[in-house]
Amino acid sequence: MHHNRTFTIRQLTKEFEVTARTLRFYEDEGLIAPERRGQTRIYSGRDRARITLILRGRRVGFSLAEIREILDLYDQHHDRGVAQTLHARKKFEEQLHKLERQKVDIEESLGELHRAIAAIDQAMAEGVPTAPSVEAHRIEQHHPHRHAAE
Amino acid sequence: MHHNRTFTIRQLTKEFEVTARTLRFYEDEGLIAPERRGQTRIYSGRDRARITLILRGRRVGFSLAEIREILDLYDQHHDRGVAQTLHARKKFEEQLHKLERQKVDIEESLGELHRAIAAIDQAMAEGVPTAPSVEAHRIEQHHPHRHAAE
DNA sequence: GGTGCCGTTTACGTGAACGTCAAGTGATGA
DNA sequence: TCATCACTTGACGTTCACGTAAACGGCACC
């Protein structure tokens, strides 16, 4: 088992392109639990795998609370009773459906973008402006939010 | 053109399942610009279409700032110069790539979930706990965050 | 023995995306 | 005419996911 590797916090921040603050925050939130040599954190391969899941979950739009739930389910459903296991299954399916809806949204958005690009290309080829798929005209705005400089 | 329908804010909140606050907020942010009859907002079909885009954009993980950028691009690239149009094209492609990465993430997550569910089903069928795809054990935590009651 | 460098805790700050009052303005119906 | 909606504009509050700064502990090396 060459699998018992350990990692420092720095290594993981570089690998995953997150800050140490982020990893410590995830630990505070109970998403990971690296061991300690004295004060210093030592991350196992298991921790690393969890981080992978956490970050991917985040990218697809899950909140940390949802991610914690999923991780808990992964942990639980072994030694807990049948009821717990069925509950886990249900939760997994919920997440699954959520992601499938998401996938549809993404595909629709991809469609829009493809059309927009195609329209631009055609307009450029013809040298003539073409009608777009989404109708809209410039909106003027007074933005106290924006900080003047870009 | 049966397309010149207008909508009240209530109608749209129900259709899209958002609060009026949300729509007014989007207006403050310059994402939509409904007309007014006196004080009251009157949303056109165009506004409705924009809201569709905004909400879908949000669901797939775009920030409102990004969404505003996209909407601005849709608006702009007609009457602006070639440089602007090419810039728009580039931006659209960036968004496109972002979404494609997202799609990969989603598909991987879907894979994980399918495997997890399959593992549960098999374990249930056999009445014996099976090894999971993601390794982890319960994490104990002391949570001042959580509000005691679930 | 100072100066980096990596690591730590504690604690307050921040931006995004709204929520939640408070207080006001028409339009409508009894 | 009065009440009751639906709608409006501020303005402050809130949650999430961290950022940022302060202050400290080892260790390495020169």
Side-chain angles (χ1 to χ4, degrees), chain A residues 8-11 20-21 24 36 39-41 43 147:
Chain A
T8 80
I9 200 169
R10 266 285 161 248
Q11 286 169 355
R21 175 70 177 93
R24 296 193 195 106
R36 302 294 182 108
Q39 287 263 81
T40 351
R41 290 163 172 83
Y43 294 84
H147 305 297

Side-chain angles (χ1 to χ4, degrees), chain B residues 25-83:
Chain B
F25 178 70
Y26 291 163
E27 186 177 349
D28 277 359
E29 294 293 305
L31 299 177
I32 40 180
E35 284 162 27
R36 303 295 183 107
R37 176 150 50 220
Q39 288 264 78
T40 7
R41 291 163 173 83
I42 303 186
Y43 294 84
S44 65
R46 191 176 73 207
D47 293 320
R48 215 195 75 131
R50 292 178 74 101
I51 294 174
T52 305
L53 247 69
I54 295 168
L55 296 179
R56 190 164 60 211
R58 230 192 29 176
R59 285 197 301 273
V60 303
F62 285 120
S63 72
L64 290 189
E66 289 173 301
I67 294 171
R68 171 169 47 213
E69 226 196 311
I70 301 179
L71 288 175
D72 285 359
L73 292 178
Y74 272 119
D75 297 346
Q76 276 185 27
H77 75 74
H78 307 303
D79 32 273
R80 297 312 205 136
V82 175

Side-chain angles (χ1 to χ4, degrees), chain A residues 6-25:
Chain A
T6 62
F7 311 85
T8 80
I9 200 169
R10 266 285 161 248
Q11 286 169 355
L12 293 183
T13 60
K14 300 206 167 169
E15 177 173 354
F16 292 111
E17 303 199 292
V18 295
T19 67
R21 175 70 177 93
T22 300
L23 296 182
R24 296 193 195 106
F25 177 70

Side-chain angles (χ1 to χ4, degrees), chain A residues 76-146:
Chain A
Q76 276 185 28
H77 75 72
H78 307 303
D79 30 273
R80 298 310 208 136
V82 175
Q84 286 292 323
T85 304
L86 284 180
H87 178 248
R89 212 202 107 103
K90 213 180 95 195
K91 287 291 184 176
F92 281 132
E93 283 203 321
E94 281 174 28
Q95 308 290 358
L96 207 149
H97 289 134
K98 186 183 166 191
L99 282 185
E100 269 164 0
R101 278 189 293 268
Q102 270 241 85
K103 199 178 160 187
V104 171
D105 279 330
I106 287 198
E107 268 152 8
E108 282 174 6
S109 299
L110 282 174
E112 293 267 7
L113 287 173
H114 279 302
R115 262 172 281 159
I117 290 176
I120 288 182
D121 286 348
Q122 199 186 346
M124 295 294 290
E126 297 175 7
V128 180
T130 314
S133 52
V134 172
E135 19 161 12
H137 297 275
R138 286 269 50 232
I139 292 181
E140 282 315 320
Q141 62 211 48
H142 9 259
H143 252 279
H145 298 37
R146 269 160 164 173

